[in-house]
């Protein structure tokens, strides 16, 4: 098997030496980089070739990449690098990496064009002055070939190891059995849909009820499809930490020795087997959403057959936020400050080898704890070791932002490495609000004013101009909140001038950039980047909470992230978005920019209506009526608890409402244990809250609808027997949401539903889904609001519920 490697990956593997140095040296933005490359090309002659695709084979290694440019008249290959600031301040190890890339491209070009010699040039383009610095070396084809061979020889042992791993991985995944003795009801239909969508290169929107094992039901078929689709990697993207934990647990179960499922099947997947016996077979009928397609169901596993003797050799890595992975948060990320950055690239090869494991069939766990242990054993930074290991992992588990954000690392690496990737989006109903955050930008006057006293003198004039422009915008606005149809050109000019001023100062004095100024610069860069694509999908609004106190906010507020997300869906071989609450489909298709041929599957619930009593109590929980609602809600909760003592969750629309009801309940019913969600809870505090829900214990946990305990929480059996939901979950009616409603009405003709109704009912169904987790669970859900009786609301509740009215 020939192993294929990109020139960039090859050189980053072989030519990076010395310290990890993240002292902020300003680099060009992506847009500035593209503009710089285009400017350089425009200055060349008519025969100049830009973006030259090159490939070749060296010692059994397929090397490929795209050189920035070739001037056949001058006999010069160019590698263009954009920058700002003092070029002499560039670290030598970065310059050496650039030369390595250029020479590798040169060797491939000489072989492809049969050239005897070549000028190899580094073109450094200053995005501020638009000046070029040209560094040229004249090389013979033999010299360049020898250089490329040296890099390939350094990489060869690793590539042979990687090729062997890929072969073993694909063989193991092809023969991979389903990890449990049988599928849960509905799980097989979900798995077949995911498999076919992957095989056909489709996007799939999969709605499946809580409790059927969606994580295993999506991961298993994606893994089975990887060899057939020649997928390099699978990205499992979660909205919250519990989603990542469930994915890691599922992956351990799926790839563990087959004997493991015999020991854990009853504990983890204990529903009765479906009538067909439950193994995933080639003979299975295709799922409804792609019934006419020629794709096949996931290949048959061994079902209840002979156990495997070894684990599947799958490298799984968990990505966590930098602040959670950093060992020395008080130190800067460079060798003169942090011991784990000192000599990072010199110690990286040993750490990298340890991370893939001495025994390829049994790779180490690369979750947060596993990576940390390896990193510290080799004295390298855990966070940046994780980023390196993404290149060599098979499955990456991380947050949405790693792929969907404007600068998402996983998307960038996949594009640069030309990887074929599959994407799973867990709890996908969260992607709309999360993506809106990713593609919004806010500038707060308080933060701006906090920057000015410590700002360097060279930046002060640009800050003054921005202050003047800001004051003009506020001075013309009479209302506390207003939407502007256009972005003020004066504001954009002032921001661009400020970005340049801070950039120039940071380039000349990288150690003299106050942290407040640096953060504000990041904010202004985000604002100006998003301003370039401003359109109907976003609002520009100004909020004046208190002009005298300078409580003023400028916001580029994204409402419809579709145009930003659509390229990410198209970049993946296939994407499956799954959740228990994706109804209606068109809501998500419109707002997320799903491809027109997106498939849809709505997996029927395996639960019986007799398992869950759903009762509507028709009183008003609207803001004006909340004082009158307190006593009836407390009475209902006490009556239910007395009739069936056990563990309950009670959900409210806000912390204020929660605290009012909890306070009254505790005052009147001191005999009932009560615990409440706090406004800001650490991971440990959240764990303690959930630990109160034990089989045999009793009490009521009070929580906010849509918060940490309203989804991705698994409390089966006696750990949770009921829930009270004292709200319809609708977002607050305020000027921002009313503007959103008006814009979405214009775009889709469904402003109220898209802004209020659909998001609210998703939260309600998610919260209610905590109660029934298996076909043996029984419980009760009290829906406390008269609007639950409305037909348009009832249509959005699960079809298997039998709703009664008190």
């Amino acid at each position: 098997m020939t192993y294929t490697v990109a020139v960039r990956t090859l050189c980053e593997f072989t030519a990076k030496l010395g310290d990890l140095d993240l002292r902020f040296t300003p680099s060009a933005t992506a847009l500035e980089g593209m503009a710089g490359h285009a400017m350089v090309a425009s200055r060349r002659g008519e025969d100049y070739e830009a973006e030259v695709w090159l490939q070749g084979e060296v010692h059994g290694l397929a090397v490929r990449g795209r050189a920035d440019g070739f001037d056949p008249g001058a006999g010069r290959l160019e590698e263009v690098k954009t920058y700002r600031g003092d070029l002499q301040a560039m670290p030598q190890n970065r310059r050496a990496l650039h030369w390595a890339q250029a020479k590798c491209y040169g060797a491939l070009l000489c072989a492809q064009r049969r050239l005897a010699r070549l000028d190899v040039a580094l073109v450094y383009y200053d995005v501020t002055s638009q000046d070029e610095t040209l560094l040229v070396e004249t090389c013979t084809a033999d010299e360049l070939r020898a250089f490329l061979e040296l890099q390939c020889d350094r990489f060869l042992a690793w590539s042979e190891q990687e090729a062997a791993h890929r072969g073993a991985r694909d063989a193991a995944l092809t023969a991979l059995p389903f990890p449990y003795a049988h599928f849960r009801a509905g799980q097989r239909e979900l798995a077949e849909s995911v498999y076919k969508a992957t095989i056909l290169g489709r996007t799939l929107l999969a709605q499946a009820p809580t409790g059927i094992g969606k994580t295993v039901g999506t991961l298993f078929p994606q893994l089975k499809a990887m060899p057939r689709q020649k997928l390099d990697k699978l990205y499992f993207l979660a909205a919250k930490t519990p989603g990542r934990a469930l994915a890691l647990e599922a992956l351990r179960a799926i790839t563990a020795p087959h004997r493991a499922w015999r020991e854990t099947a009853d504990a983890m997947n204990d529903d009765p087997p479906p009538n067909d016996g439950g193994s995933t077979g080639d003979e299975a009928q295709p799922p409804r959403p792609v019934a006419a397609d020629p794709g096949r169901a996931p290949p048959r596993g061994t079902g209840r057959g002979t156990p495997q003797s070894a684990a599947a050799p799958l490298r799984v890595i968990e990505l966590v936020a930098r602040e959670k992975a950093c060992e020395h948060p008080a130190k800067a990320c460079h060798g003169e400050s942090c011991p784990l950055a000192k000599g990072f690239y010199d110690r990286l090869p040993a750490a990298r080898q340890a991370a893939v494991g001495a025994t390829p069939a049994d790779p180490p766990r690369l979750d947060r704890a596993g990576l940390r242990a390896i990193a510290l054993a080799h004295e390298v930074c855990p966070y940046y070791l994780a980023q390196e290991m993404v290149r060599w992992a098979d499955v990456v588990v991380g947050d949405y932002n790693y792929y969907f954000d404007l600068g998402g690392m996983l998307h960038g690496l996949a594009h640069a490495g030309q990887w074929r990737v599959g994407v799973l989006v867990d709890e996908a109903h969260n992607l709309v609000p999360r993506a809106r955050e990713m593609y919004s930008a806010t500038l707060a006057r308080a933060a701006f004013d906090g920057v000015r006293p410590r700002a360097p003198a060279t930046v002060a004039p640009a800050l003054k101009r921005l202050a003047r422009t800001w004051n003009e915008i506020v001075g013309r606005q009479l209302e506390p909140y207003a939407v502007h149809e256009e972005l003020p050109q004066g504001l954009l000019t002032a921001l661009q001038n400020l970005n340049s001023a801070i950039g120039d100062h940071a380039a000349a004095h990288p150690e003299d950039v106050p942290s407040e100024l640096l953060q504000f610069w990041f904010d202004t860069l985000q604002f100006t980047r998003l301003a370039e694509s401003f359109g109907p999908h976003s609002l520009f609004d100004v909020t004046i909470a208190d002009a005298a106190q300078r409580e003023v906010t400028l916001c580029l507020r994204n409402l419809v992230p579709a145009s930003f997300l659509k390229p990410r869906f198209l970049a993946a071989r296939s994407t499956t978005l799954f959740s228990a609450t994706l109804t209606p489909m068109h809501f998500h298709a419109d707002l997320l920019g799903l491809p027109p041929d997106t498939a849809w599957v709505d997996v029927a619930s395996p639960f019986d209506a007799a398992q869950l009593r759903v009762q509507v109590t028709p009183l008003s929980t609207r803001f004006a009526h909340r004082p009158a609602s307190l006593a009836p809600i407390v009475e209902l909760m006490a009556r239910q608890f007395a009739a069936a003592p056990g563990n309950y969750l009670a959900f409210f629309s806000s912390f204020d409402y929660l605290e009012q009801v909890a306070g009254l309940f505790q005052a009147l019913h001191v005999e009932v244990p009560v615990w409440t969600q706090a406004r800001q809870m650490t991971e440990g505090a959240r764990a303690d809250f959930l630990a109160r829900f034990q089989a045999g214990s009793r009490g009521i946990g009070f929580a906010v609808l849509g918060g940490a305990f309203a989804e991705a929480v698994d409390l089966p059996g006696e750990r949770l027997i009921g829930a009270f939901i004292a709200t319809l979950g609708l977002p607050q009616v305020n000027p921002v949401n009313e503007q959103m409603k008006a814009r979405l009405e214009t775009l889709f003709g469904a402003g109220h539903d898209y802004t209020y109704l659909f998001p609210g009912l998703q939260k309600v169904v998610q919260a209610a889904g905590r109660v029934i987790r298996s076909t043996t669970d029984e419980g009760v859900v009290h829906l406390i609001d008269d609007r639950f009786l409305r037909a348009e609301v009832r249509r959005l509740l699960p079809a298997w519920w039998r709703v009664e009215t008190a």
Side-chain angles (χ1 to χ4, degrees), residues 755-790:
T755 304
Y756 295 107
L757 186 61
F758 297 158
L761 267 294
Q762 285 178 352
K763 296 176 185 177
V764 169
V765 176
Q766 282 288 332
R770 302 312 97 205
V771 179
I772 302 299
R773 308 297 295 176
S774 76
T775 55
T776 60
D777 283 353
E778 294 183 355
V780 60
V781 169
H782 288 276
L783 302 177
I784 309 171
D785 194 289
D786 54 58
R787 289 167 290 182
F788 282 113
L789 298 177
R790 295 178 179 177

Side-chain angles (χ1 to χ4, degrees), residues 49 52-54 70 72 108-115:
E49 302 173 32
V52 182
W53 175 253
L54 300 168
F70 175 55
L108 294 174
L109 182 70
C110 286
Q112 201 161 294
R113 305 281 180 100
R114 293 188 170 89
L115 303 177

Side-chain angles (χ1 to χ4, degrees), residues 365-714:
R365 290 182 179 179
L366 298 182
D367 56 11
R368 177 181 175 182
L371 267 169
R372 179 177 184 270
I374 293 170
L376 297 185
H378 292 83
E379 299 181 274
V380 297
C381 172
Y383 179 72
Y384 288 100
L385 176 61
Q387 293 203 1
E388 167 66 21
M389 294 313 301
V390 166
R391 294 168 168 81
W392 317 111
D394 303 306
V395 181
V396 183
V397 178
D399 188 86
Y400 290 169
N401 68 285
Y402 283 106
Y403 186 74
F404 290 113
D405 192 74
L406 192 63
M409 178 185 70
L410 293 180
H411 175 261
L413 287 174
H415 177 74
Q418 299 179 320
W419 297 338
R420 287 170 64 90
V421 300
V423 178
L424 291 175
V425 184
D426 180 40
E427 301 291 0
H429 60 278
N430 287 302
L431 187 54
V432 169
R434 284 290 306 279
R436 283 172 171 162
E437 293 175 5
M438 294 175 198
Y439 293 99
S440 296
T442 300
L443 298 178
R445 185 60 189 252
F448 174 65
D449 289 342
V451 162
R452 297 184 69 182
R454 295 186 56 203
T458 54
V459 177
L463 288 170
K464 186 176 181 180
R465 283 194 293 271
L466 177 57
R468 185 166 57 247
T469 302
W470 203 318
N471 291 338
E472 291 172 357
I473 294 171
V474 173
R476 290 193 297 266
Q477 181 170 313
L478 301 179
E479 307 87 355
Y481 174 83
V483 171
H484 298 244
E485 293 299 320
E486 302 290 340
L487 282 168
Q489 187 56 49
L491 173 65
L492 296 181
T493 300
L495 289 172
Q496 290 162 356
N497 289 337
L498 178 61
N499 288 341
S500 296
I502 300 176
D504 292 343
H505 175 82
H509 309 283
E511 300 288 356
D512 182 29
V513 184
S515 59
E516 300 89 348
L517 181 62
L518 188 60
Q519 182 57 57
F520 190 73
W521 189 22
F522 292 155
D523 294 340
T524 59
L525 288 171
Q526 172 82 346
F527 196 100
T528 52
R529 278 197 293 266
L530 291 174
E532 294 165 359
S533 57
F534 181 69
H537 53 68
S538 298
L539 301 175
F540 170 59
D541 58 38
V542 179
T543 302
I544 306 174
D546 187 333
Q549 297 298 320
R550 303 298 183 95
E551 294 181 20
V552 180
T553 303
L554 311 180
C555 185
L556 262 178
R557 192 182 310 276
N558 179 260
L559 308 180
V560 183
S563 60
F564 298 105
L565 299 183
K566 185 177 181 179
R568 305 299 167 97
F569 294 124
L570 296 177
R573 168 61 187 172
S574 72
T575 303
T576 292
L577 304 97
F578 61 98
S579 169
T581 51
L582 293 176
T583 300
M585 177 188 177
H586 62 80
F587 170 73
H588 299 279
D590 287 342
L591 296 184
L592 295 176
L594 302 181
D597 66 344
T598 295
W600 162 260
V601 62
D602 187 0
V603 178
S605 175
F607 308 132
D608 189 273
Q611 290 181 252
L612 182 67
R613 184 165 64 92
V614 182
Q615 181 171 297
V616 174
T617 299
L619 60 84
S620 175
T621 64
R622 298 167 182 81
F623 184 78
H625 304 150
R626 285 180 188 170
S629 73
L630 301 182
I633 291 174
V634 167
E635 180 183 354
L636 171 64
M637 295 173 65
R639 187 167 64 247
Q640 174 63 44
F641 189 87
N647 291 321
Y648 293 84
L649 271 168
F651 295 101
F652 298 87
S653 56
S654 68
F655 280 103
D656 287 340
Y657 198 13
L658 178 157
E659 289 162 0
Q660 291 173 36
V661 177
L664 182 59
F665 188 93
Q666 288 176 295
L668 297 178
H669 302 283
V670 294
E671 74 283 1
V672 180
V674 166
W675 52 100
T676 61
Q677 178 181 354
R679 293 177 186 267
Q680 292 183 337
M681 298 182 78
T682 64
E683 287 189 15
R686 289 196 293 269
D688 292 341
F689 182 96
L690 293 175
R692 299 286 298 269
F693 295 88
Q694 296 297 329
S697 66
R698 297 179 179 183
I700 302 177
F702 285 73
V704 171
L705 191 70
F709 307 113
E711 61 180 75
V713 170
D714 193 17

